[in-house]
mmCIF file of all heavy atoms in Angstrom:
data_model
loop_
_atom_site.group_PDB
_atom_site.id
_atom_site.type_symbol
_atom_site.label_atom_id
_atom_site.label_comp_id
_atom_site.label_asym_id
_atom_site.label_seq_id
_atom_site.Cartn_x
_atom_site.Cartn_y
_atom_site.Cartn_z
ATOM 1 N N CYS A 383 12.526 0.406 25.853
ATOM 2 C CA CYS A 383 12.854 1.517 26.777
ATOM 3 C C CYS A 383 14.190 1.336 27.494
ATOM 4 O O CYS A 383 14.349 1.565 28.668
ATOM 5 C CB CYS A 383 11.733 1.816 27.787
ATOM 6 S SG CYS A 383 10.247 2.551 27.053
ATOM 7 N N SER A 384 15.168 0.821 26.732
ATOM 8 C CA SER A 384 16.529 0.682 27.205
ATOM 9 C C SER A 384 17.088 2.030 27.442
ATOM 10 O O SER A 384 16.518 3.138 27.148
ATOM 11 C CB SER A 384 17.366 -0.087 26.201
ATOM 12 O OG SER A 384 17.549 0.666 25.052
ATOM 13 N N GLU A 385 18.299 2.070 28.046
ATOM 14 C CA GLU A 385 18.944 3.379 28.303
ATOM 15 C C GLU A 385 19.178 4.183 27.016
ATOM 16 O O GLU A 385 18.977 5.412 27.045
ATOM 17 C CB GLU A 385 20.300 3.129 29.022
ATOM 18 C CG GLU A 385 20.167 2.582 30.433
ATOM 19 C CD GLU A 385 19.338 3.517 31.356
ATOM 20 O OE1 GLU A 385 19.512 4.742 31.270
ATOM 21 O OE2 GLU A 385 18.511 2.980 32.098
ATOM 22 N N ASN A 386 19.513 3.491 25.947
ATOM 23 C CA ASN A 386 19.736 4.205 24.677
ATOM 24 C C ASN A 386 18.440 4.705 24.070
ATOM 25 O O ASN A 386 18.326 5.810 23.579
ATOM 26 C CB ASN A 386 20.468 3.260 23.696
ATOM 27 C CG ASN A 386 21.865 3.075 24.033
ATOM 28 O OD1 ASN A 386 22.379 3.635 25.015
ATOM 29 N ND2 ASN A 386 22.596 2.216 23.253
ATOM 30 N N ASP A 387 17.345 3.897 24.196
ATOM 31 C CA ASP A 387 16.054 4.312 23.777
ATOM 32 C C ASP A 387 15.617 5.619 24.535
ATOM 33 O O ASP A 387 15.187 6.661 23.935
ATOM 34 C CB ASP A 387 14.895 3.221 23.981
ATOM 35 C CG ASP A 387 15.183 2.079 23.088
ATOM 36 O OD1 ASP A 387 15.742 2.183 22.000
ATOM 37 O OD2 ASP A 387 14.780 0.993 23.556
ATOM 38 N N MET A 388 15.736 5.582 25.813
ATOM 39 C CA MET A 388 15.305 6.622 26.646
ATOM 40 C C MET A 388 16.164 7.928 26.367
ATOM 41 O O MET A 388 15.659 9.072 26.372
ATOM 42 C CB MET A 388 15.434 6.345 28.100
ATOM 43 C CG MET A 388 14.517 5.114 28.505
ATOM 44 S SD MET A 388 12.696 5.518 28.167
ATOM 45 C CE MET A 388 12.408 6.588 29.535
ATOM 46 N N TYR A 389 17.482 7.772 26.177
ATOM 47 C CA TYR A 389 18.322 8.901 25.900
ATOM 48 C C TYR A 389 17.896 9.523 24.536
ATOM 49 O O TYR A 389 17.873 10.833 24.459
ATOM 50 C CB TYR A 389 19.798 8.534 25.831
ATOM 51 C CG TYR A 389 20.688 9.716 25.476
ATOM 52 C CD1 TYR A 389 21.130 10.499 26.524
ATOM 53 C CD2 TYR A 389 20.987 10.073 24.178
ATOM 54 C CE1 TYR A 389 21.881 11.730 26.258
ATOM 55 C CE2 TYR A 389 21.818 11.185 23.939
ATOM 56 C CZ TYR A 389 22.235 11.965 24.976
ATOM 57 O OH TYR A 389 22.952 13.115 24.702
ATOM 58 N N PHE A 390 17.611 8.736 23.524
ATOM 59 C CA PHE A 390 17.186 9.398 22.325
ATOM 60 C C PHE A 390 15.889 10.140 22.479
ATOM 61 O O PHE A 390 15.777 11.241 21.975
ATOM 62 C CB PHE A 390 16.967 8.192 21.289
ATOM 63 C CG PHE A 390 16.512 8.656 19.929
ATOM 64 C CD1 PHE A 390 17.502 9.130 18.967
ATOM 65 C CD2 PHE A 390 15.137 8.687 19.616
ATOM 66 C CE1 PHE A 390 17.034 9.580 17.750
ATOM 67 C CE2 PHE A 390 14.712 9.108 18.299
ATOM 68 C CZ PHE A 390 15.741 9.575 17.391
ATOM 69 N N ILE A 391 14.843 9.559 23.209
ATOM 70 C CA ILE A 391 13.634 10.216 23.402
ATOM 71 C C ILE A 391 13.811 11.551 24.227
ATOM 72 O O ILE A 391 13.272 12.627 23.855
ATOM 73 C CB ILE A 391 12.619 9.279 24.125
ATOM 74 C CG1 ILE A 391 12.338 8.147 23.270
ATOM 75 C CG2 ILE A 391 11.360 10.130 24.389
ATOM 76 C CD1 ILE A 391 11.450 7.039 24.052
ATOM 77 N N LYS A 392 14.607 11.475 25.229
ATOM 78 C CA LYS A 392 14.993 12.694 26.013
ATOM 79 C C LYS A 392 15.646 13.748 25.213
ATOM 80 O O LYS A 392 15.336 14.954 25.459
ATOM 81 C CB LYS A 392 15.842 12.369 27.227
ATOM 82 C CG LYS A 392 15.092 11.463 28.347
ATOM 83 C CD LYS A 392 16.112 11.123 29.379
ATOM 84 C CE LYS A 392 15.517 10.179 30.439
ATOM 85 N NZ LYS A 392 16.491 9.732 31.469
ATOM 86 N N ARG A 393 16.506 13.355 24.296
ATOM 87 C CA ARG A 393 17.217 14.424 23.540
ATOM 88 C C ARG A 393 16.179 15.067 22.554
ATOM 89 O O ARG A 393 16.342 16.235 22.334
ATOM 90 C CB ARG A 393 18.357 13.664 22.706
ATOM 91 C CG ARG A 393 19.331 14.643 22.076
ATOM 92 C CD ARG A 393 20.063 15.394 23.188
ATOM 93 N NE ARG A 393 20.556 16.691 22.668
ATOM 94 C CZ ARG A 393 21.114 17.569 23.440
ATOM 95 N NH1 ARG A 393 21.249 17.335 24.724
ATOM 96 N NH2 ARG A 393 21.534 18.741 22.928
ATOM 97 N N VAL A 394 15.340 14.290 22.029
ATOM 98 C CA VAL A 394 14.259 14.874 21.214
ATOM 99 C C VAL A 394 13.459 15.846 22.007
ATOM 100 O O VAL A 394 13.147 16.976 21.581
ATOM 101 C CB VAL A 394 13.349 13.759 20.574
ATOM 102 C CG1 VAL A 394 12.140 14.442 19.910
ATOM 103 C CG2 VAL A 394 14.116 12.938 19.552
ATOM 104 N N LEU A 395 12.992 15.473 23.253
ATOM 105 C CA LEU A 395 12.230 16.408 24.057
ATOM 106 C C LEU A 395 13.025 17.572 24.372
ATOM 107 O O LEU A 395 12.452 18.778 24.409
ATOM 108 C CB LEU A 395 11.880 15.608 25.389
ATOM 109 C CG LEU A 395 10.813 14.592 25.281
ATOM 110 C CD1 LEU A 395 10.702 13.779 26.622
ATOM 111 C CD2 LEU A 395 9.434 15.204 24.945
ATOM 112 N N HIS A 396 14.298 17.494 24.602
ATOM 113 C CA HIS A 396 15.136 18.562 25.057
ATOM 114 C C HIS A 396 15.399 19.583 23.916
ATOM 115 O O HIS A 396 15.646 20.769 24.186
ATOM 116 C CB HIS A 396 16.482 18.059 25.532
ATOM 117 C CG HIS A 396 17.424 19.149 26.071
ATOM 118 N ND1 HIS A 396 17.147 19.835 27.282
ATOM 119 C CD2 HIS A 396 18.540 19.621 25.547
ATOM 120 C CE1 HIS A 396 18.125 20.731 27.406
ATOM 121 N NE2 HIS A 396 18.936 20.700 26.352
ATOM 122 N N THR A 397 15.361 19.091 22.615
ATOM 123 C CA THR A 397 15.766 19.963 21.538
ATOM 124 C C THR A 397 14.676 20.397 20.540
ATOM 125 O O THR A 397 14.762 21.522 20.060
ATOM 126 C CB THR A 397 16.869 19.195 20.692
ATOM 127 O OG1 THR A 397 17.878 18.694 21.577
ATOM 128 C CG2 THR A 397 17.515 20.086 19.712
ATOM 129 N N ALA A 398 13.688 19.574 20.361
ATOM 130 C CA ALA A 398 12.654 19.807 19.391
ATOM 131 C C ALA A 398 11.704 20.868 19.777
ATOM 132 O O ALA A 398 10.767 20.592 20.655
ATOM 133 C CB ALA A 398 11.981 18.525 18.939
ATOM 134 N N ARG A 399 11.856 22.126 19.324
ATOM 135 C CA ARG A 399 11.000 23.192 19.792
ATOM 136 C C ARG A 399 9.590 23.065 19.322
ATOM 137 O O ARG A 399 8.644 23.637 19.866
ATOM 138 C CB ARG A 399 11.636 24.507 19.417
ATOM 139 C CG ARG A 399 12.989 24.767 20.000
ATOM 140 C CD ARG A 399 13.458 26.186 19.648
ATOM 141 N NE ARG A 399 13.621 26.331 18.197
ATOM 142 C CZ ARG A 399 14.685 25.968 17.560
ATOM 143 N NH1 ARG A 399 15.743 25.501 18.205
ATOM 144 N NH2 ARG A 399 14.778 26.191 16.241
#
Side-chain angles (χ1 to χ4, degrees):
C383 285
S384 65
E385 292 301 319
N386 287 358
D387 292 333
M388 298 300 286
Y389 180 83
F390 181 82
I391 299 171
K392 290 177 184 178
R393 193 65 205 175
V394 171
L395 287 170
H396 182 73
T397 310
R399 296 185 299 273

